[in-house]
Amino acid sequence: MHSLAEYIWIDGASPTKKLRSKARVIETGDGDVTLDAFPDWGFDGSSTWQAGGSDSDCTLRPVLFTPDPFRGEGNHLVLCEVLNSDGTPHESNTRARLRAVLDAGAADHDPWFGIEQEYTLFAGRDPFGWPKDGFPAPQGPFYCGVGADEVYGRPMIEAHTRRCIQAGIMIYGINAEVMPCQWEFQIGHRGFANESSDPVNISDHLWMARWLLYRTGEEYKISAKLHPKPVPGDWNGAGAHTNFSTREMRNPETGRAAIDAAIDRLSKKHDEHIAVYGADLDQRLTGLHETCHIGEFKSGVADRGASIRIPRDVAKAGYGYLEDRRPAANMDPYEVCARMLRTVLDIDA
Ligand code: ADP
Ligand code: MN
Ligand code: MN
Ligand code: MN
């Protein structure tokens, strides 16, 4: 059978990498499709900030494929790593560096992640649904709101969520956010059978969910933006809270001690974490709008003004996971997960 495969990769734009994709026709046999059905492919790295013009060929190496909910039955989306022409990982390939951290010992601790992706809808240059010459009512009623005066853009969000489910993406949930036209979806541990919550898989799924979001937006003429402070002033910024646990943290015997030890280690590497938690993060971590100031490290149970929050249920049970509230919406999950594992598990890779 002939079908289309949309090859998706992450470019070399700085300071925030963007998604790219292009499609090719492939031939699949009669049996189940495996990763082998998708050959390596090339692209022009000089157009994606990944190569100079005189030696511009980079390689796309398929690493994950899903059904394509846009083209339907038989077609696929294919996430790729970017390699140099000699087969080594390209310097923009942060996924390869995360793999190295897992191989250096992090995998032995069975780490799980769950990432809350906040984002903001725009129509052209304006926040979607906002009055032409002015502002909506002050924040308050919009978070998890319902009703035409309180919810902006739901049809697109519903379409995106449906596509994530059709593609087998590990979407955990969705909610309208504090600022009108700001939304959140979570990608992460769900406790379902035959699913891996490991950081490579969760990060892959988050990048795919972002691609599905932008692609869905094309149909609604709405662009989703990941800037951490999309509207200046008294409006919430957009983050990517990163929930994290190891086997030790999930064990009722050792859980709370392992969580406290992790927080102690995180407190000593604050600047190293901030450095990879997304561009323009200082505009969001002001100490207002449910954040801790960028220059300070604080932890607490159920504290939404902390850098690290221990959820109330985790504190009650005495084991579970922690939430790092610092990452910006525009962060690279491969980098954030790698940094978290290096710090908490003391890994040098
Ligand atoms: P919040 O209350 O901060 O808004 P959400 O409900 O939006 O939290 O997101 C919770 C996230 O925590 C989900 O992404 C979920 O996958 C993740 N999660 C749940 N349990 C664990 C765990 N044991 N380890 C890591 N992540 C977890
Ligand atoms: Mn949330
Ligand atoms: Mn949120
Ligand atoms: Mn959260």
Side-chain angles (χ1 to χ4, degrees):
M1 189 175 93
H2 292 171
S3 64
L4 273 165
E6 187 80 23
Y7 279 51
I8 298 170
W9 76 97
I10 298 156
D11 74 8
S14 176
T16 301
K17 301 188 200 85
K18 299 270 168 62
L19 285 158
R20 309 276 178 148
S21 72
K22 59 176 185 168
R24 75 185 275 183
V25 176
I26 59 153
E27 183 164 46
T28 50
D30 295 335
D32 284 347
V33 177
T34 65
L35 201 54
D36 296 332
F38 308 100
D40 284 2
W41 197 11
F43 71 98
D44 167 17
S46 71
S47 298
T48 61
W49 292 285
Q50 282 163 313
S54 59
D55 183 14
S56 64
D57 288 352
C58 294
T59 300
L60 296 175
R61 165 82 36 95
V63 293
L64 174 102
F65 70 95
T66 73
D68 180 347
F70 291 94
R71 297 190 175 114
E73 188 71 29
N75 300 290
H76 295 92
L77 305 177
V78 184
L79 183 69
C80 302
E81 276 192 29
V82 174
L83 309 180
N84 300 308
S85 47
D86 65 1
T88 55
H90 188 270
E91 67 165 323
S92 64
N93 183 345
T94 49
R95 186 180 190 274
R97 290 206 286 282
L98 173 57
R99 285 196 283 111
V101 171
L102 286 165
D103 292 344
D108 301 340
H109 299 266
D110 195 14
W112 294 354
F113 281 83
I115 297 172
E116 304 167 47
Q117 176 70 69
E118 293 178 344
Y119 58 97
T120 311
L121 304 181
F122 278 80
R125 302 166 76 128
D126 301 320
F128 177 79
W130 286 32
K132 257 266 150 288
D133 304 301
F135 293 94
Q139 293 186 157
F142 306 110
Y143 169 75
C144 297
V146 62
D149 52 340
E150 294 185 354
V151 172
Y152 299 48
R154 198 190 294 275
M156 169 173 163
I157 275 60
E158 290 294 321
H160 171 249
T161 307
R162 203 161 52 240
R163 268 112 185 215
C164 284
I165 292 169
Q166 285 164 356
I169 295 300
M170 284 171 69
I171 189 163
Y172 174 94
I174 54 172
N175 61 269
E177 270 301 338
V178 175
M179 181 178 110
C181 87
Q182 203 160 76
W183 291 83
E184 168 178 317
F185 62 81
Q186 305 95 32
I187 300 290
H189 178 69
R190 313 192 283 191
F192 296 171
N194 304 319
E195 272 186 0
S196 169
S197 305
D198 87 59
V200 170
N201 196 47
I202 294 302
S203 301
D204 286 351
H205 282 230
L206 178 55
W207 277 112
M208 294 292 271
R210 286 174 174 177
W211 188 90
L212 289 163
L213 182 67
Y214 300 136
R215 176 68 185 79
T216 301
E218 290 177 12
E219 295 178 349
Y220 291 84
K221 297 196 166 45
I222 297 174
S223 43
K225 297 281 180 201
L226 303 188
H227 193 274
K229 190 72 181 182
V231 184
D234 200 13
W235 304 100
N236 272 33
H241 299 166
T242 298
N243 300 275
F244 167 63
S245 65
T246 58
R247 187 186 294 118
E248 296 77 22
M249 295 182 197
R250 297 187 297 268
N251 179 333
E253 304 293 314
T254 56
R256 186 57 195 261
I259 291 171
D260 289 341
I263 292 173
D264 187 52
R265 287 204 156 140
L266 287 163
S267 73
K268 295 179 178 129
K269 298 271 188 204
H270 179 64
D271 293 346
E272 290 88 337
H273 281 251
I274 292 295
V276 296
Y277 277 10
D280 297 327
L281 183 53
D282 56 314
Q283 295 175 26
R284 169 176 164 262
L285 296 186
T286 59
L288 301 172
H289 304 118
E290 305 176 42
T291 70
C292 183
H293 191 275
I294 193 163
E296 200 188 341
F297 180 93
K298 238 170 43 181
S299 66
V301 173
D303 183 356
R304 288 172 195 273
S307 323
I308 306 289
R309 163 178 154 255
I310 301 175
R312 173 75 62 202
D313 288 349
V314 172
K316 250 193 231 158
Y319 64 95
Y321 62 99
L322 59 81
E323 176 193 48
D324 189 340
R325 301 178 56 81
R326 296 170 293 175
N330 58 357
M331 59 74 142
D332 173 355
Y334 299 127
E335 283 198 274
V336 169
C337 292
R339 184 64 254 177
M340 182 73 91
L341 295 169
R342 282 191 199 103
T343 299
V344 169
L345 300 172
D346 197 19
I347 283 167
D348 192 15

